[in-house]
Amino acid sequence: QLYVVLPKTLINENDRRERILKRTRDVVTAAKRAIFSLHRLVVQCNTVLLTSRMWQEPVEKIKSTAIPLFEKIHLDIGYICQQLQPGEHYKFFSSISFGIQGKTHERDQIDRPEYVEAYSFYYFLVENQIISKEQIEKDVTAANPPWYGFRQQTVAHPKNTPFDLTYVDYMLGLADLTGEIMRLCINAAAKGKSEYCSQLRHSMYQFHGNFTSLTHLVDAKDMNQKLTVMEQSLEKMDKACYTFALRKAEHDIRSEER
């Protein structure tokens, strides 16, 4: 009887892992599309100063476009959580994690866009601040209907949430956010938004300082590489702001000579 039960158990576990992987790939793809859509919306709005109260119309446009995208992602994450029994989060951690915070592959050395990066980027555009781990868990919970059973108190989810976001996934996902902010900064410099460009640079330096002070608390092999990429993004922002200031000074000098 043991040889009858074990093969069935293994087949069921493999099938469950494949279902989780397939839905996690959907999360990765949808997060990538959400990031591209957000950047396109910023360009279409013809301004990057989206957090000012005088730009409520662009903010509402971003919300109306991005919210349906993230609702679909939240439902996919809910489906993944539905596949897990209490206490099984870490059993399938490697299958879930790459869709949440991303993994760097040695073959291409490119981080796959992931949910935390995409959602934190959206939150930064709309609220002009970094989203918290608790807010992410709350939003995923709110997007899933009660029949999923996630709101039941369990050992796996003591906070009564369907999505138990680990601090490793949260911090590694936020580390990729600087890349999107760097693109915002460069676009701002190209459009002549020097004030907003400097504001983004200053905000990211504050974020970098606070982030690096907490990295010793996270035991993740990808952290050093993420920090290297983050510092490269900051250097690009420095270069963009410096180039803009230099060209502006040269233009003022030429104007005075005329």
Side-chain angles (χ1 to χ4, degrees):
Q1 185 178 3
L2 179 63
Y3 290 102
V4 175
V5 175
L6 283 180
K8 291 183 179 179
T9 303
L10 289 174
I11 290 173
N12 291 334
E13 288 295 294
N14 289 333
D15 290 343
R16 188 152 60 116
R17 187 180 297 275
E18 286 301 318
R19 289 195 298 269
I20 292 174
L21 278 172
K22 182 180 181 300
R23 197 56 67 96
T24 305
R25 294 188 189 102
D26 293 340
V27 171
V28 172
T29 303
K32 180 178 180 179
R33 291 175 180 171
I35 291 174
F36 292 160
S37 297
L38 290 171
H39 279 295
R40 283 197 299 268
L41 281 172
V42 170
V43 174
Q44 291 174 3
C45 291
N46 198 28
T47 179
V48 292
L49 198 58
L50 297 172
T51 53
S52 174
R53 291 303 174 190
M54 34 184 323
W55 300 109
Q56 279 299 318
E57 184 177 350
V59 170
E60 294 302 323
K61 186 176 181 180
I62 286 179
K63 285 184 177 180
S64 62
T65 303
I67 287 177
L69 296 175
F70 285 110
E71 284 181 350
K72 174 63 169 58
I73 295 176
H74 290 162
L75 289 175
D76 287 338
I77 295 175
Y79 175 84
I80 293 172
C81 295
Q82 185 188 20
Q83 300 298 313
L84 303 176
Q85 298 298 325
E88 286 190 332
H89 178 79
Y90 291 97
K91 180 179 180 181
F92 296 94
F93 180 77
S94 61
S95 301
I96 301 171
S97 183
F98 84 89
I100 304 303
Q101 54 88 1
K103 294 290 184 182
T104 302
H105 297 272
E106 294 180 357
R107 287 180 296 178
D108 50 31
Q109 294 297 315
I110 297 176
D111 285 349
R112 279 181 278 184
E114 67 289 328
Y115 166 70
V116 173
E117 177 187 0
Y119 199 57
S120 61
F121 181 48
Y122 159 74
Y123 197 84
F124 182 83
L125 286 176
V126 174
E127 302 293 341
N128 194 28
Q129 60 183 348
I130 303 298
I131 192 170
S132 65
K133 173 181 176 292
E134 291 74 19
Q135 184 65 43
I136 295 176
E137 293 177 336
K138 179 181 177 182
D139 291 346
V140 175
T141 303
N144 286 278
W147 54 265
Y148 271 101
F150 291 140
R151 291 170 176 77
Q152 298 178 358
Q153 194 79 8
T154 63
V155 176
H157 307 109
K159 294 182 180 179
N160 225 18
T161 66
F163 181 41
D164 188 12
L165 180 64
T166 65
Y167 282 101
V168 173
D169 287 341
Y170 174 68
M171 291 193 67
L172 291 179
L174 283 185
D176 292 331
L177 175 63
T178 53
E180 308 308 327
I181 305 302
M182 178 266 295
R183 293 181 179 88
L184 266 186
C185 181
I186 292 177
N187 289 335
K191 292 177 178 294
K193 306 287 185 178
S194 60
E195 182 179 351
Y196 189 61
C197 186
S198 300
Q199 178 185 345
L200 288 174
R201 174 181 170 274
H202 178 69
S203 298
M204 283 302 100
Y205 265 101
Q206 285 185 325
F207 172 73
H208 176 263
N210 295 329
F211 188 87
T212 52
S213 65
L214 299 174
T215 52
H216 67 283
L217 301 176
V218 178
D219 184 16
K221 61 181 180 180
D222 294 332
M223 182 59 72
N224 290 334
Q225 190 167 8
K226 298 274 189 180
L227 287 174
T228 301
V229 175
M230 183 186 297
E231 291 169 358
Q232 291 174 351
S233 298
L234 289 174
E235 290 177 2
K236 292 177 182 178
M237 295 174 73
D238 288 338
K239 185 177 180 180
C241 292
Y242 172 77
T243 302
F244 182 85
L246 184 62
R247 290 180 178 176
K248 183 178 179 181
E250 291 176 349
H251 181 268
D252 293 340
I253 293 174
R254 291 175 183 175
S255 300
E256 291 176 359
E257 290 177 352
R258 293 176 183 176

